[in-house]
Each structure stands twice: as structure tokens, then as C-alpha cells.
Amino acid sequence: MGGGESSRGAGGQARLGEFELLVLLASLRLGPSEAYAVSITDDIEARTGRRVRRANVYTSLRRLEEKGLVTTGLGDPRPERGGKARRLVTVTESGLAAVQVAAAGIRAMWGGLEHVLGGAT
Amino acid sequence: MSLPPWIRRLVLRAVSPRDEDEVLGDLEEVYARRSARSGPIRATVVTGVEALGIAGGITVGRLRRAVRGSLMTSSELRLAARLVGRTPLMSLASVAALAVAIGLATTGFTVVAAVLDRELPLPAGDRLVDVTFRDASTGEDRPAPPPATRLGGDAVPGLDHVGLARTAQRNVRHPTGEVELVSEIFITPGSLERLGVPPIVGRGLSAQDALPGAEPVVLLGEAWWAARFNRDPSVVGRILDLGTRSARVVGVLPQEAVYPGPADLWSPLDATPEAAGAARAGTRLFGTLAPGATPALVAASLGALADGWWDAGLVARPVTVSVQRTEDPGPATLPGVVVLSVLIALLVLVAGNVANLIMARTAARRGELAVRTALGAGRGRLVAQISIEVLLMALAAAGVGLWASQRVLAMLAASEAEDLPPWIDLGLDAGVVAFVMGVTLLATLVAGVVPALRATRSQLGGLLRSGGGGPGASSFGRLEDTMIVGQVALSIGILGAALLVHQGWSTEFLDARLGVPSDRILVARMSADAPLSGATLRGLEARLTQLPGVVAAGVGDHTPGVDAPLRQVVLEDEAGGPGTALRVPRARVGPGYFQALGTGPLTGRTFVADDFAADALPVALVNRSFVDRYLGGGNAVGRHIAIPDARPPDAAPALATPSHRIVGVVPDLGLTATDPERAAGVYLPLTTAWSFRAVVQTATQPEGLDEAVRGAAFAVDPGIGVNSTIVLSTSLSALRRVFVVAGWGFTGFGGLVLGLSLLATYALLAFEVTRRTREIGVRVALGARPARILTALLSRVAGYVAVGALVGTGLGYLLVEVARATFVHRFPPTSPWTFLGLAGLALLVGFAAAWIPARRALSVHPVEALRAD
């Protein structure tokens, strides 16, 4: 379950597991007003085509919150949820920095492999 | 659509209140979406599965956080389980050894705790005391003397109540004609109330019930009331036919009425002087302590009273008094503690052996441990990981040991159900569980933590540089060497003593035929509620002889093949000298006894009817062994023996000791079970008896004669109860079986210790080979012959056995002498060949244990050895 533990890399920046990175990316895309477990799950499933268990999303969000990479808070009650509120996710500065580091790392490793992978991003 | 309630309940059980809204809300949302898309059924299934996953994930997450906070992590647990499984034989041997030790210790603890921690289910149980009178000169227990039976409620300082009780067997004849033998307790009427045992139906006993001339009444015990009368309350008022009397049922006592024991009937004890004088045999005195009083104070008070009785000539012999709380285990305390201590010591010994195995296994992993150390694992982490392996095995062993212990105790409780006091509970309780956990932790400490600390104390980092251990002294040390030698010595000593005990109890003396047709002789134990006269006993003999199929019948107070009690006799000097005082087994028999055993006199005659007359001259018979031992094989007929305790107990001290004329010599008829030293004995006429045996010889197999014997006894005197019947050959086999089982028990224990020494030897040599793998490889590469390497390893085993055999032989001699002195049995002379043979066995066992590691040593390839760490 989960996407692997974060650890500290050089410079003290948190290193992200693969699934944690996906959760953070989905949270950034959805924004603090729409990012919650259900929408994050839907976004990852839609974009990656892989089946995602929402239990894993909950676990990852707890872990990310413990490490200070996201904050969560209850929104307003919604009728389609039986009057219950959503727990909305906001990526913190640390979380954003961690995503940038991870992205930079992927780009760095991607470099020079365009001819193999078929087009850089 | 709304989320199904069962999904809601499932989630609410798992999530914290903080997360309720989030998780339930998410599920509501996706369920509504799925219902709209795929229908409610599919939505329910998919969402239900999802909810299960969420609840499970939350639970596992909590467990992981909890485990992470402790010493163990899930990865450590998995690693420990893998390592245990990597060496299945060693692990299995360790678990089996620990299971046996934990099972034995738990069984011992349960029994000892039940015996020592007895608690009577009575409100006044903690104040109840038992009074024991003993003959001041011989120390033998005596029944309560007549003056004691007349003590009133407050006549003894320190007791606020004095009671009397006597147990008996009673024939009850039911309206259907069936005769049933039941247990009866006579008790002073006020005692039940004082003990806090009110009746559950009807009324209890009152003082008026015990007065002379009062209507006979009786209470029923709850168990018999339930079994016989289906708990029908209308039994109150019914008249029961109790053989010698009829009594009206006035009430029912609860099952908590367990003092002085459970009984089917409770009757008032007539404590008037006349009845008490007649009924004193078997009557016991008890009381309840007054506030602030102690048993010592009561004993002093009663002791002063007893001295007064002797001074006033109210008792035939001076008596001493001891008082003990009924709940006090008394003399059972020290043996119980000793037994438990021995079992725990055995557990520690077993755990020590397992520790050696762990040491050997850890030695083989020193490289791995060194790598973990280099990667940052602290010593504590390594010790914890090794200890977890042992804890896993110890927990498995505890489960098996506890299960086995409960099975054994259940069988014990079932087999001894009638003899076990009702307050003895051998079941599983919190104390036993706590003990099991405690010994499991102790085993883990000895077998896991200690060797782990020793294995990790050296600089494992240096191990990587040096390339492993080299030649030299074993790091097992003197402690392990001493343990192995000690176990070898213990096994040789115990096995040697066991073999000799086997032999002693299997001598031809035990197996020797009594010369009687034991498979056609029925022995019936009988008792009466009043002393039976000689005429009644002879009438019983005559009645039994008239039964169909009966060849002859007799009565006596001894069953052949059972040790008869030793009594003092004085062989009178024909020349008028002082005579020879002897202590020999003595039995009292009726005129038909010897004929019933199918034997007759060797010289002279046996007892005849005239010998039982009130004015008959006292006579006696002696057996062949008595003539051989004390009369030099000469003529016994006409000699005289004096029986000091043959006087009536309340006779005046000045009455002369009766002199009995020997009128005949009979064969040895089993006055002792196994000891030839106790074979020489004396027979006297049985003129009166409370409790005795009827010996009935039949023409064919005597099974099935029980009912006829009961009927004959009842016809002679309805007060005669037949307690049990057994064919004599079965009785002799059962007796022998006890000795054989005890002998095998010793042997089994010795074998267990030998097995442990086998484990220890294997562990040591496995460790040696592992440590010296490189050295062995180099030596083989340089041309050393395998035989030399093998010799070096096995010589160590021989050294252990040599020292162990020397110590074990001494131990074995000591154990046999203790057995000889304790059981007063004649064992054959202790033979050194027995111990030499056992030393040879131990050597073979040691070599067998060394075989696996030795073979591994010889198969070491030099190249691999040089690569080994």
C-alpha cells in the first residue's frame, strides 16, 4: 500500500515515492478548492490509466501531511455526500519544492532518451 | 441513493472520529455516482469492497505505527520467522525441548498451586481448624479420646465452636428393592450452621435431632439429591431405609457443604458419652477459631486438657495435640516448593541447551551480523533480532506445552475425581496463564538474550577484516562445557538408578506366586457403622460360603500382596528371660481366611471357631518367614508372643499384656508387597471389626459375584457396606503396575536428560566446525587426513563423557541409596557394570550427535574454506 516512504535527499529536501508524487501532482492540478481523496483518485486513474485504490490515497495523504508537504482541512457540507464535508488538500511550499525536485530529477534522467522514449516532455 | 447501513457501520468501526466525515462522505459520493451509472447492486458490491479495503488499510496502518514504536518492526518479525524456518530441524528440536519443559513446569505449578492455595468454599473456611491427636510415645495418629468428644462449644480457649464429625458408608434400600452404597457424614448439629452452610431445601440439623430418643433424621447432599431424586423438593419428609435404621429426610445441603468432605447423607452425631464412646473410632475433632485466636493457642489449650485427662486416668495412654488450619497445606508446602523448583530448574536447563543451539546458529551468521553492524545496526538491534527468533520459538513451545499440560491435568482430575478434595481445581486460570507467560519470558531470556549478548560482544567489524574466527579455545567457555558434562552425569546417574530400581521392583519376590489361586479369589472391602462382633463376622463367612459357585470364604483385615502395617510384638523367651521386641507386619483374620486363600497350615493348625469365643485363650499364627528369621527354623508351635497394643484402648494401664500361644505356622501369604525384610509376620484372630475384607474363593471366575456378595452382607447385617470388590490377581497386577510406571517415569526422565545432553553436544560441535571451517580447509589442503580431524572433534565428546560418567556413577550410587532408605525395599547390590554400560551408551549418543557436524567438517572443500569468513 502507499507509494513508498519519503526520505531526505541532499540539502534536506524530502524525496518522494512514486505514488506520493502522483498524489501531489493531482493535488496541484485540482487546486485547494477541489483536491480531495475522490478527485485525486479520479485524476490519477484518468491520466495514468492505472487502477488506484482510494485507501492508498488516504494513506499517502496522511503521510504527506505528517511530513508537512500538504495540509488538509474540512470544507463545507455537500448534499451529494449526505451532508458531509470534503477534506480538501493544499500543497505546501515544502510540498511544491519536493515536486519540483522530483520533476527536475526525472527531466535530468529523461535527457538524451528522446529517441528511445519517443518525445521529451 | 444513500450508502447501505452495513457499509456505514463497517467504516465507523475502523475510522477515527476525525476521519468519519471524510471517509463516509467520500463513500457516499462514489456510491451515488456508481448507483447512477451501474445500478445499486453493483454499486453496493464495489463500494462494499472498497470500504473493506479502507477499513483494513486503516487498521493495518495503526498496527504498523504501533509496531514501529516498539522494539520490533514487521520486517524484523518476518526476518525472525524466516531464520527460524531456515534451520527447521534445529528449530523443531528447540521448540520440542522447550515445550516439554514448559509443559512439565506448568503441570507442576498447577498442581502445587492448587494444593497450596486451597480455599474452602465456606464463609468460615479461613477460621476452620483440624485437631489431631497422636500417641505420645509412638507418634501414631489416634482417634479423638472419649473426653475430647464431650467438649462443649466453648470448652476450649481459642475456639468459639467445637465440632465432631465421622464419615461412614451406608446401604440405602430404595423402594424398588435396589441397595445402593452411599457416603454419610455424622456431624454435630450446630456445626453446619457455624460453617455457614444453610440448607437449600427444608431445614438443617438441630440440637434436638441429636438427643437420645429423637426421631432419626437426615439431610441429603445436593449432588445425590440431583442424581437420585431429580432435585424433587418433595423428597423432604420422605423416610429412607438406611439398613440398620430408617431416617426422615428434613432438608438438602448445597454442594458447598464440602467439610469434612462431600457426602450423600448428613446425619446428626449423637455426642452423648455413651454413643460417643461407642462411636469414637474415626471421629475427628474440629473447630472454628475465635477472633484473635491462633492454632498454636488452641493446641496449647487442648494439650493442657489432654495432660489432665492422662493424670486423671481418663485415657489409656498420653496423647499430644496438634492444631492446623484446614486451609493450611501444612506438610505439603515444602515438597510442593521443592517439586516446583526442580521443574523450573529443568526449564532453565533446557533453555540453556537451546541457548547453545542459538549460539551455534548465530556463529554461522557472524558475517551477516557484521554486515548489518557496518550498515548502522546497533548492538541492541542485533540482540533484539536474535531474541525475537527465540521468542517466536518459545511462544510456539508455550502453546504446545500449555495444551499438553491441560490434557494431562484433565486425565489426572478424571482418574482421581473421587479422591481429590472438592476445593482442588486443576483447571486453567489467570495464575496459570501468568506462569506460562513468565516461564516463556524466562526461557527467552536464557535461550535468546544471553547468547545474543555473548554473540555480539566482540567487534563484529573486525570480523570482516580478519576473515572470521581462527583456531584456539572455543568461545563457548567453561559454562557450556560444565553444562554438557553436568547433563551427561545427570543422565547416567538417573538412568543407572532407574535401571536398578526397575530391577529391585521386578525381583522374583514381587513376581513370586503366592501359591494361591489369585484369579479365582474375590476380595471385597467392607465396612460397618458399628463394630461387628465375632459372631457376626463368622456368620458372614458362613453366608458367603453358601453362595453358588463359592468354594470357601473368610474375613480378615489384610489383602494379600499389600504391605501390612508394622506392629510391635514381643517374642517371649522360653527360659523366662526378657523376650525379644520385634516390629513385624500383623494381620487379623477369621477362621475361614486361610481356606479361602486355598491354603492350610504347614505345622500345627489355623484358627478354629473356639479361638473366637469370649473366654478363649489368646492364640496366634506365624508364617514361614517368621519361623526362619526369628526362630532359626525351629518349632514355633507352643511358643508365645506378647502383643502390647492388643489391650483394649481404654483398659487400665496396669492390665498385663496378653500372651498369645502360637498354634500353627502358615505359608507366606503376601504380608508385604516387595520387601523380603518385611515378610515375617503374625496373624491374630479377628474378633471385632469396623472395616475389613471378605476373601471369597470361587470354583470359576469370580466376576459377577458382586451383587451376590452385597446381598449376603446385607442379609447378615444391613449395616455392612461393600465398598469395592476386586479379583486378587487384578489387585496384584495393579500394585506391580504402580511400581513399573514409577520405574519407567524415572527412566523417562533420565532419557529426557540424555536427549538434552545430545542437543548440547550437537550444538557445541556445530559451533566448533563453523568457527574452524577455514582452519579445517587449510589442514585438509595441506594433506591432513580426515581421520585426524574427526579424532580431534570426537575426542572432545569422549572427554565430556568420561568426566560425566565419573560424576554420574557417584550420583547414581547416591540415588540408589536414597531410594533404598526411603522405600525400605531391598534392591540388588549396586553394580558398577550398569554405569559402565550407560557411559558407553552416552558415548554412542555423543558420537551420534557429533556425526552431522563432523561430516560437515570432512566435506569442507579447501577452496570454499579459504573463502569462508
Side-chain angles (χ1 to χ4, degrees):
Chain A
M1 279 187 58
E5 278 189 60
S6 306
S7 58
R8 293 281 165 191
Q13 200 55 257
R15 288 193 190 276
L16 298 174
E18 184 240 355
F19 191 75
E20 287 173 334
L21 178 60
L22 295 179
V23 168
L24 283 173
L25 288 171
S27 301
L28 284 169
R29 176 173 296 103
L30 292 166
S33 60
E34 287 298 327
Y36 64 109
V38 175
S39 61
I40 291 172
T41 306
D42 292 341
D43 191 61
I44 296 173
E45 283 184 343
R47 289 182 173 272
T48 64
R50 69 194 250 187
R51 180 84 175 87
V52 174
R53 293 173 61 197
R54 199 163 60 255
N56 294 351
V57 175
Y58 288 133
T59 305
S60 292
L61 285 173
R62 297 289 170 270
R63 211 175 286 146
L64 290 170
E65 190 171 18
E66 284 170 6
K67 288 170 175 57
L69 302 181
V70 300
T71 58
T72 65
L74 289 175
D76 296 326
R78 308 281 284 238
E80 64 271 23
R81 294 166 58 86
K84 295 179 178 51
R86 301 178 298 181
R87 181 167 290 277
L88 298 169
V89 179
T90 305
V91 181
T92 63
E93 291 293 324
S94 302
L96 182 61
V99 171
Q100 287 169 339
V101 166
I106 292 174
R107 278 197 297 274
M109 293 304 297
W110 202 279
L113 291 176
E114 293 81 354
H115 64 286
V116 176
L117 297 173
T121 57
Chain B
M1 295 198 63
S2 185
L3 194 65
W6 67 269
I7 297 179
R8 192 190 315 276
R9 280 196 299 272
L10 172 66
V11 172
L12 284 174
R13 277 177 201 258
V15 301
S16 64
R18 173 191 178 267
D19 300 328
E20 265 178 36
D21 268 9
E22 175 189 4
V23 176
L24 278 178
D26 290 348
L27 286 171
E28 290 274 8
E29 186 179 327
V30 298
Y31 177 77
R33 202 194 303 171
R34 286 169 184 149
S35 291
R37 189 170 58 226
S38 317
I41 297 176
R42 185 178 165 78
T44 300
V45 171
V46 173
T47 309
V49 170
E50 188 175 39
L52 275 171
I54 291 170
I58 292 173
T59 306
V60 170
R62 282 205 191 110
L63 279 174
R64 278 188 167 173
R65 281 191 290 276
V67 167
R68 203 174 291 132
S70 71
L71 286 178
M72 299 183 289
T73 66
S74 60
S75 59
E76 298 278 5
L77 282 170
R78 283 197 298 271
L79 178 61
R82 268 207 308 274
L83 289 169
V84 169
R86 194 187 292 175
T87 51
L89 273 180
M90 190 185 287
S91 301
L92 203 60
S94 302
V95 170
L98 285 174
V100 168
I102 291 176
L104 280 174
T106 304
T107 305
F109 172 80
T110 307
V111 172
V112 170
V115 170
L116 297 187
D117 188 27
R118 53 165 84 172
E119 191 177 317
L120 293 172
L122 301 169
D126 59 335
R127 295 191 297 122
L128 196 58
V129 293
D130 295 314
V131 179
T132 306
F133 295 90
R134 293 194 175 90
D135 190 303
S137 54
T138 65
E140 292 177 351
D141 284 3
R142 310 297 300 173
T149 63
R150 296 190 281 270
L151 291 171
D154 56 357
V156 181
L159 293 179
D160 59 14
H161 175 76
V162 177
L164 294 168
R166 181 171 56 83
T167 56
Q169 301 281 333
R170 178 72 49 229
N171 281 324
V172 175
R173 184 161 55 182
H174 294 283
T176 57
E178 179 193 352
V179 176
E180 181 184 4
L181 187 67
V182 300
S183 58
E184 184 177 22
I185 288 181
F186 292 89
I187 192 165
T188 38
S191 296
L192 289 172
E193 184 181 351
R194 186 59 67 121
L195 290 173
V197 187
I200 53 176
V201 179
R203 69 168 177 87
L205 299 176
S206 67
Q208 284 68 34
D209 295 326
L211 292 177
E215 180 193 18
V217 297
V218 71
L219 299 175
L220 306 186
E222 184 179 2
W224 193 55
W225 175 54
R228 194 74 204 186
F229 300 98
N230 290 322
R231 305 183 74 90
D232 180 6
S234 70
V235 71
V236 175
R238 212 180 286 186
I239 303 291
L240 289 185
D241 181 352
L242 303 180
T244 53
R245 74 186 202 279
S246 295
R248 182 181 301 278
V249 178
V250 296
V252 178
L253 283 180
Q255 59 186 7
E256 286 79 14
V258 296
Y259 185 83
D264 302 318
L265 296 175
W266 296 78
S267 300
L269 179 66
D270 183 354
T272 58
E274 296 73 24
R280 66 178 180 275
T283 304
R284 58 197 285 185
L285 195 76
F286 63 92
T288 51
L289 289 174
T294 63
L297 171 66
V298 175
S301 305
L302 280 170
L305 286 172
D307 290 342
W309 299 332
W310 168 248
D311 292 338
L314 297 177
V315 293
R317 285 185 290 280
V319 293
T320 59
V321 182
S322 67
V323 177
Q324 182 178 317
R325 286 182 194 269
T326 307
E327 289 186 345
D328 183 357
T333 304
L334 182 59
V337 170
V338 167
V339 165
L340 193 58
S341 301
V342 167
L343 290 174
I344 291 180
L346 176 66
L347 173 67
V348 172
L349 182 69
V350 170
N353 276 294
V354 174
N356 288 339
L357 288 175
I358 298 300
M359 280 282 285
R361 186 160 75 181
T362 305
R365 295 170 50 206
R366 287 169 72 83
E368 171 212 329
L369 296 177
V371 169
R372 292 190 72 187
T373 303
L375 288 176
R379 188 183 179 200
R381 195 80 176 196
L382 296 179
V383 170
Q385 202 253 300
I386 296 171
S387 302
I388 290 168
E389 293 173 44
V390 176
L391 181 61
L392 288 178
M393 290 192 288
L395 285 172
V400 173
L402 182 59
W403 174 83
S405 168
Q406 289 298 299
R407 298 298 308 158
V408 167
L409 289 170
M411 285 194 297
L412 178 68
S415 67
E416 301 292 326
E418 291 184 3
D419 297 326
L420 272 182
W423 53 77
I424 298 291
D425 180 14
L426 298 179
L428 184 65
D429 61 17
V432 174
V433 173
F435 177 81
V436 171
M437 297 311 298
V439 296
T440 303
L441 288 174
L442 175 65
T444 304
L445 184 69
V446 173
V449 175
V450 171
L453 286 171
R454 294 185 68 184
T456 57
R457 71 182 170 194
S458 59
Q459 294 296 326
L460 289 169
L463 181 65
L464 288 173
R465 288 191 296 274
S466 70
S474 161
S475 70
F476 252 49
R478 286 185 189 277
L479 178 63
E480 285 77 10
D481 289 345
T482 307
M483 273 182 62
I484 295 174
V485 168
Q487 285 171 113
V488 171
L490 204 59
S491 61
I492 291 176
I494 292 175
L495 278 174
L499 287 173
L500 288 171
V501 166
H502 260 302
Q503 197 176 348
W505 277 332
S506 302
T507 61
E508 58 183 18
F509 192 87
L510 178 60
D511 289 338
R513 294 180 181 281
L514 296 178
V516 301
S518 58
D519 57 338
R520 289 189 291 110
I521 292 175
L522 186 74
V523 178
R525 287 182 56 236
M526 299 185 179
S527 62
D529 57 356
L532 298 177
S533 66
T536 303
L537 293 169
R538 288 197 302 280
L540 177 62
E541 285 187 341
R543 189 79 183 217
L544 291 171
T545 307
Q546 291 165 6
L547 291 175
V550 172
V551 172
V555 296
D557 65 0
H558 176 250
T559 303
V562 176
D563 281 340
L566 297 178
R567 294 274 190 259
Q568 190 179 7
V569 302
V570 177
L571 179 62
E572 293 179 356
D573 184 3
E574 287 183 305
T580 308
L582 308 169
R583 277 181 67 80
V584 297
R586 195 180 75 202
R588 291 180 183 271
V589 300
Y593 182 82
F594 296 104
Q595 192 176 0
L597 289 177
T599 187
L602 297 174
T603 59
R605 62 173 179 85
T606 59
F607 297 133
V608 297
D610 288 344
D611 295 326
F612 297 84
D615 57 352
L617 289 174
V619 294
L621 298 171
V622 295
N623 61 11
R624 174 195 284 277
S625 288
F626 186 98
V627 173
D628 292 341
R629 184 165 183 172
Y630 299 115
L631 299 176
N635 183 32
V637 176
R639 294 289 298 267
H640 288 80
I641 56 175
I643 313 292
D645 60 357
R647 296 178 303 166
D650 57 354
L655 187 66
T657 301
S659 177
H660 293 247
R661 183 169 174 272
I662 298 173
V663 296
V665 178
V666 292
D668 288 348
L669 292 171
L671 282 175
T672 181
T674 60
D675 189 1
E677 301 295 317
R678 294 169 58 131
V682 171
Y683 293 91
L684 298 178
L686 183 67
T687 55
T688 182
W690 287 85
S691 169
F692 56 96
R693 286 108 175 96
V695 180
V696 181
Q697 187 193 150
T698 58
T700 57
Q701 300 302 315
E703 287 88 352
L705 202 60
D706 295 25
E707 278 306 309
V709 168
R710 284 182 202 278
F714 192 82
V716 169
D717 187 329
I720 300 176
V722 180
N723 303 318
S724 65
T725 59
I726 190 170
V727 180
L728 183 59
S729 59
T730 306
S731 171
L732 295 173
S733 299
L735 178 68
R736 188 173 187 284
R737 202 160 36 243
V738 167
F739 291 140
V740 169
V741 166
W744 280 112
F746 270 114
T747 306
F749 187 70
L752 173 67
V753 180
L754 190 63
L756 290 177
S757 64
L758 181 157
L759 263 181
T761 306
Y762 167 77
L764 171 73
L765 289 185
F767 173 76
E768 279 291 290
V769 168
T770 303
R771 278 194 78 251
R772 301 168 66 178
T773 300
R774 174 187 284 251
E775 173 206 341
I776 293 170
V778 168
R779 290 175 69 182
V780 170
L782 291 177
R785 285 180 299 171
R788 286 197 72 170
I789 295 171
L790 203 58
T791 304
L793 286 172
L794 297 181
S795 62
R796 189 154 190 176
V797 173
Y800 290 140
V801 172
V803 178
L806 206 60
V807 177
T809 300
L811 178 65
Y813 268 83
L814 181 64
L815 288 174
V816 170
E817 289 306 314
V818 169
R820 188 178 281 130
T822 305
F823 298 110
V824 198
H825 288 145
R826 191 187 69 175
F827 293 118
T830 313
S831 165
W833 291 108
T834 304
F835 296 100
L836 272 176
L838 286 171
L841 173 66
L843 197 63
L844 280 175
V845 166
F847 286 164
W851 175 245
I852 294 175
R855 206 175 64 166
R856 188 150 40 100
L858 293 178
S859 67
V860 170
H861 196 282
V863 174
E864 288 178 16
L866 289 171
R867 278 203 224 115
D869 57 60

